[in-house]
Amino acid sequence: MGARGAPSRRRLAGRRLRYLPTGSFPFLLLLLLLCIQLGGGQKKKENLLAEKVEQLMEWSSRRSIFRMNGDKFRKFIKAPPRNYSMIVMFTALQPQRQCSVCRQANEEYQILANSWRYSSAFCNKLFFSMVDYDEGTDVFQQLNMNSAPTFMHFPPKGRPKRADTFDLQRIGFAAEQLAKWIADRTDVHIRVFRPPNYSGTIALALLVSLVGGLLYLRRNNLEFIYNKTGWAMVSLCIVFAMTSGQMWNHIRGPPYAHKNPHNGQVSYIHGSSQAQFVAESHIILVLNAAITMGMVLLNEAATSKGDVGKRRILVGTL
């Protein structure tokens, strides 16, 4: 019985060997090589990412905003791998561009970047950079960008969305507004620290001193305080300032005007109904003052008792 069973087991083993797929060993070898190649590629990406982050941290240790040309922009911002967010200001700071708005925006951008660089929350997840038109013209062309300054956020993964472009024309470029926008896009909250500015305190002290000195010199004759015309002029100045949007300018911090860096055309009137330039406020102020002055002169011409001919000439002129 046992002798007959032994050959049966040998025949069964032979059948199992015959039924093994002849191409299984090359397939397993190919799968093994593929796993090794994928592991090597992943390791290479990790090393490349570590080198990029190390380089960015080194630049950040020297200055809070580092400048980029076309090659650096493509390597550190456009090309993967990337696990950090990058805020980029596209600007034109060269003197021949005559972009005063770019200089003002750069000052606010510098305040914001310094606040992040010297804060306790500073890490390698957010960096600030700058691309000047004269140093990275190819970058402007690649992004189809025809205006400056412009702020953009480049996320760690994927392409920038519409909300990743800061609405400078509507919000302004104050450092606090930029910090709020960055918090919305990156969940990184930056507390803005401004350098001390004593110009407002000095101006207030000079004004108080001037008023106090005037009251002291006229201490024996203070009838001018009850002058209705004087108080009317002060009230009109306040009304003109408020109705022309000066308070909005103070809060939003818009540019005085906009100059196209390509053709040099200067715009003093904003194209949107939700924003304005400082120059636009000045134009509205002058127009309101001219209309008010015309109404006052018409009223004076109608109620005064002067020469009738002069009154008619005045009314006809107005």
Side-chain angles (χ1 to χ4, degrees), residues 122-161:
F122 175 76
C123 62
N124 58 3
K125 298 301 180 182
L126 178 65
F127 297 98
F128 291 85
S129 62
M130 175 191 304
V131 177
D132 193 280
Y133 179 77
D134 293 284
E135 299 174 359
T137 308
D138 53 340
V139 178
F140 278 76
Q141 295 175 353
Q142 180 182 353
L143 298 176
N144 295 324
M145 193 172 297
N146 55 11
S147 63
T150 300
F151 297 92
M152 288 188 64
H153 164 243
F154 291 86
K157 296 180 180 179
R159 297 182 178 180
K161 301 179 181 179

Side-chain angles (χ1 to χ4, degrees), residues 5-20:
S8 298
R9 287 193 293 269
R10 286 195 296 270
R11 286 194 297 271
L12 182 60
R15 292 191 189 98
R16 290 176 180 173
L17 289 174
R18 285 196 297 272
Y19 286 125
L20 282 174

